[in-house]
Every structure is written in C-alpha cells, then in structure tokens.
Amino acid sequence: MSRPEDTLPPDLFYNDSESRKYTTSSRIQKIQSDMTRRALALLSLSSPSLVLDIGCGSGLSGEILSQADDEGTPGGPHVWVGFDISASMLGVALEKEVEGDLLLADAGQGVPFRAGTFDAAISISAIQWLCNAESSEDSPAGRLSRFFNGLYASLRRGGRAVCQFYPKNNEQKKMVSSAAVRAGFGAGLLEDDPGTKNAKTYLVLTVGGGDLDGDITGVVRGMEGVDVMDQRRKAKSKKRAEDTRGSRAWIMNKKEKMERQGRVVKASSKYTGRKRRIAF
Amino acid sequence: MKLLTLNFLTCARRTCKTSPSSFPLHPREAELEILESELNLVFLRNILPRLMWSELRGIGEELGLPSLPESPPSREDLVTKPSPAKPSSVTEPSSVEEEGGEGEEVPSQTAKDLHRLLLETTIKEGKLVCGNCGHEYAVKEGVANFLLPGHLV
C-alpha cells in the first residue's frame, strides 16, 4: 500500500483534484463513516457535546457528528469544530455546507483553544501525517508533542479523545502513543482486524478526573470481541537498594540484560566485578 | 465562524499561551451572517458553564450587537417555567402535570437569544487579532486561517 504521507506534505498532497477524489469515492466514504461510528462508540457520549475534529478534511466524519440520536449518532446532534491543514479539503467541506465550524490550522503547531473547551475529540486517518516534518527546524517528535499537549489542555477533565490512524510500523505506533502518554493522557491502542491488510488502529486517550472509568480498559469494558493485553509495566517489588552502580550484583544484572538482548557478553567468573588490588 | 467558537479560540503562538490577553481574539472589520439552525436545549445547558461571559459581552460590544446582561443566565433561565396560571382544579391532576412538567421542555426567550448569538451569528469575513502579540488571523468564507509561519510557532 502506498503511503501518501511519504510523498508530499498534507497541504500539497490534498490539492483540489485529490480532495474531490477523496470525498466522492464511495469506498473511502464507507470506510471513513465506519471508522467514525466506531470512534463514537468508543467516546460513548450521552448528551449533545462540543467535539473537536482533528484533520476534519471535507467533513465526512463531521456529517455523522451532526446527525441526531435517532439517526445513529449516540448522544447527537453534536456541535463540532474541525481543523485541517489542506485548504482544498476545507473548500470541499464549504461546498457541502457542513454544520461545524472550520479552521485552517496545522495540528503539529498545537491546538489554539483555551483550556477545558471540548467534551471530546475525534480524529480519523490524520495523525500519521504528524510523523513527518517538512522543514529542518521541525521534528516529528516536536510536532507530536505540541499536538498532544495542546489537545490535552483543550479537553475538559474526564474528556476522551479517539484518534484513528495508520501507523507505518510498530515504531511509529510506539512513538505516537508515548507522545500522548508524555502529554498526560491515559493512552491505549485498540486494533480492529489486527494482522490483516485493513487493520485499523485507534488511539484511545483519556483525561483523568470527572466521572470517567479509568483508561482504555474501562472504555472497552463491556464491549464485545475485545481482548485486553495489558502491557503496562508491573510495579517492581524487588528492592534495588543493594544494586548500587558498579557493584557485582549490578554488573551481573546488566550482563544478564544484555545477554537477553542478544548481545555478546563476556563469561562471568569469580573475578567479575572484583576490585583490583591497588598497584603501587 | 460561530461566536461560540470565538469564545474558545486563543492565539496559536506558543509565546502567547501564558499571557491572559491572548484570549479572546478581537474581531476586526468583521462581516456577520446569520445561519439558521435548530435550537438544541441540552447542548446549550451543557455549554453554559464553560462560556466566558464577560469576554462574550466584550466581543458583542466590539461587533456592535445589542448589549448582553451583566451576568450569565442560569440553567433554569433556559426553560420556560410551567405557567403559574395553571388551573388549580383537582379533578385531572395527573394528565396536566405530565404535560406541563416533564414531557417537553419549552425553551425560553433567553435560550432562543443565546442560541441566536452563539450558534447562528457567524463571522463571514474579517480578521481576528490577538490582544497580546497583535497577530492577525484572516477569516475568509467563515474559515479562519490559523497556520503560522515557521518562525512564529
């Protein structure tokens, strides 16, 4: 599968013709609306809320957000604000007369809203674009951290964000989720159809406080067909007091760790970690 | 762009984040437009505590809109109270109670005005100016441009 983010920056890639293609393709529309509905299920909003749509594009997901409760949007109709970096995409959205407010903004430059603005945030197929920096004064890590810090601040306590994205590899998945954790979110990844070509990754982010049930494990509790793999590091009960740097125990521990990583490690003997006699 | 959104937008520059005057952004040479939409009472009630009322009043004044009351309306003000001139007959209490009390909440004039101001009044063309750094964000066809050149990020 070709990755558009490797070819051009988003504001250039989604030009007029590409935006139109994206919006009129019924296949893309179907995938997008399925993913939006899945994300909304994860957000589990119960009343009309103010929702941020990051990378709203032509408003495909926004249209679903403004639908009423009986049309299939839980808690709707929501009022949404969307931003996107591609002016052509926003042009298509304007033509369609979507109900939400649109902004031309780069998520990698932060989120220009005051603290505690939104009840929830949604992002469909957008944040993989943040993993590329277009200029030498910018870096993917910097863009991601600015985005997640801004998002964290703009959500109210107890709010949730669901970002569906297409990670290039495991490294990118890790980079995105660790940036979110560093910003303060409780983060978890949900994967639909894992291992297949059309795997979809959802980053479920929670802001602490409020009436929220913990992190992603609370979010997916009660959902059908979801396996939880908790990879959080268990709190270490072992005391580390005796392992002072340079001691024999410390060296043995280090060697063991290196060996597990597949490095070549010198054999241990009774001389390992022993002090040399003072040679005078 | 709705006035509701304007009540939440701040300057995008990082150096302005710490300054209180980066919020609100001041509209200049704004061209307003009314876009009708359906009133959503639950949403209004939800958003009410998050509004910055004094800033909203300030923006209303800058745009030359009719002045707003000093204090924000409370959640109770949004619904019309069941009419006090209810027939006090005891013959059919249950049916009357259900109709007036719980069944359908009728939005009051306050709610209608608030909806008009926040969700139907939009800025079509103009500029938004940061009170701290003076950066101007252009608004065209209702879409504000918050892209910053690299050296300002």
Side-chain angles (χ1 to χ4, degrees):
Chain A
M1 199 176 79
S2 66
R3 297 189 62 89
E5 55 272 20
D6 288 343
T7 55
L8 275 176
D11 43 340
L12 299 178
F13 180 79
Y14 288 115
N15 53 17
D16 288 342
S17 68
E18 196 66 34
S19 305
R20 202 155 298 279
K21 227 192 286 173
Y22 193 91
T23 316
T24 49
S25 155
S26 61
R27 189 182 130 268
I28 293 182
Q29 274 178 12
K30 165 114 187 16
I31 298 176
Q32 295 275 329
S33 70
D34 283 351
M35 292 193 296
T36 309
R37 287 188 197 287
R38 178 69 158 162
L40 272 170
L42 289 167
L43 287 176
S44 62
L45 297 166
S46 56
S47 63
S49 319
L50 188 61
V51 181
L52 176 67
D53 187 348
I54 303 128
C56 60
S58 50
L60 288 173
S61 42
E63 282 171 339
I64 295 176
L65 285 175
S66 357
Q67 279 176 2
D69 201 9
D70 45 7
E71 286 171 81
T73 304
H78 304 292
V79 175
W80 57 277
V81 179
F83 63 73
D84 204 284
I85 193 172
S86 158
S88 308
M89 276 286 198
L90 293 177
V92 177
L94 275 182
E95 274 173 36
K96 290 202 295 182
E97 298 189 338
V98 292
E99 284 183 40
D101 262 345
L102 303 169
L103 296 177
L104 182 66
D106 181 3
Q109 292 180 345
V111 181
F113 288 93
R114 65 178 166 85
T117 300
F118 297 102
D119 294 301
I122 191 172
S123 161
I124 304 295
S125 316
I127 54 175
Q128 72 268 16
W129 289 97
L130 293 177
C131 299
N132 295 53
E134 304 310 333
S135 64
S136 57
E137 56 203 35
D138 217 351
S139 67
R143 286 168 64 76
L144 279 169
S145 89
R146 230 168 293 140
F147 166 64
F148 282 117
N149 284 327
L151 185 64
Y152 186 80
S154 68
L155 284 172
R156 70 171 176 82
R157 302 301 93 179
R160 271 185 202 170
V162 174
C163 308
Q164 182 275 329
F165 68 114
Y166 294 113
K168 193 194 276 180
N169 43 32
N170 267 335
E171 239 162 76
Q172 219 174 58
K173 224 188 269 181
K174 210 170 200 176
M175 181 164 85
V176 170
S177 51
S178 66
V181 169
R182 226 168 290 139
F185 283 110
L189 288 167
L190 178 95
E191 249 176 81
D192 279 353
D193 311 324
T196 64
K197 245 182 168 181
N198 41 7
K200 298 174 194 78
T201 312
Y202 299 84
L203 179 67
V204 182
L205 304 172
T206 51
V207 180
D211 46 356
L212 195 76
D213 188 9
D215 53 0
I216 184 176
T217 51
V219 175
V220 298
R221 191 172 300 147
M223 277 188 155
E224 260 177 49
V226 178
D227 302 329
V228 175
M229 277 194 298
D230 204 336
Q231 289 186 331
R232 277 174 293 191
R233 253 167 265 154
K234 298 278 175 295
K236 275 187 186 156
S237 56
K238 199 176 74 181
K239 265 188 212 151
R240 303 200 59 186
E242 70 262 51
D243 287 9
T244 48
R245 202 181 151 82
S247 71
R248 188 183 154 87
W250 181 82
I251 291 173
M252 295 306 282
N253 198 2
K254 197 97 178 161
K255 288 178 95 168
E256 201 183 310
K257 213 189 276 172
M258 288 297 161
E259 204 158 28
R260 250 185 283 133
Q261 282 178 13
R263 309 266 193 97
V264 179
V265 175
K266 286 274 166 66
S268 307
S269 71
K270 63 175 179 180
Y271 300 109
T272 307
R274 226 195 236 184
K275 273 233 175 78
R276 276 175 201 278
R277 189 199 303 146
I278 301 166
F280 191 60
Chain B
M1 194 178 59
K2 298 184 184 81
L3 289 197
L4 175 76
T5 315
L6 189 56
N7 197 248
F8 291 114
L9 276 173
T10 64
C11 185
R13 286 177 69 171
R14 205 191 318 166
T15 43
C16 284
K17 277 268 177 314
T18 47
S19 158
S21 54
S22 69
F23 172 81
L25 298 175
H26 304 282
R28 295 279 144 77
E29 301 157 29
E31 203 176 293
L32 297 183
E33 192 183 28
I34 298 281
L35 294 173
E36 305 261 329
S37 65
E38 215 168 294
L39 194 148
N40 188 338
L41 199 59
V42 192
F43 176 75
L44 279 182
R45 210 178 291 160
N46 178 3
I47 204 75
L48 197 56
R50 261 178 278 169
L51 291 177
M52 297 283 255
W53 192 258
S54 55
E55 278 78 3
L56 190 64
R57 283 189 71 207
I59 286 172
E61 263 167 43
E62 283 173 38
L63 289 171
L65 298 171
S67 64
L68 295 165
E70 287 275 339
S71 59
S74 66
R75 287 187 176 194
E76 288 78 48
D77 293 344
L78 296 180
V79 248
T80 41
K81 290 168 191 70
S83 53
K86 211 191 266 176
S88 54
S89 57
V90 212
T91 47
E92 10 139 43
S94 59
S95 62
V96 172
E97 281 289 303
E98 270 171 36
E99 273 172 40
E102 290 299 311
E104 188 98 325
E105 286 180 321
V106 185
S108 66
Q109 192 55 44
T110 325
K112 280 178 193 157
D113 289 346
L114 199 61
H115 176 74
R116 188 80 175 174
L117 177 73
L118 291 175
L119 294 154
E120 290 187 344
T121 315
T122 61
I123 298 180
K124 193 157 182 270
E125 304 278 331
K127 280 182 226 158
L128 301 175
V129 184
C130 169
N132 187 41
C133 65
H135 189 83
E136 290 179 353
Y137 299 96
V139 183
K140 279 179 192 154
E141 295 184 64
V143 178
N145 181 353
F146 274 79
L147 285 179
L148 291 172
H151 65 280
L152 286 181
V153 173

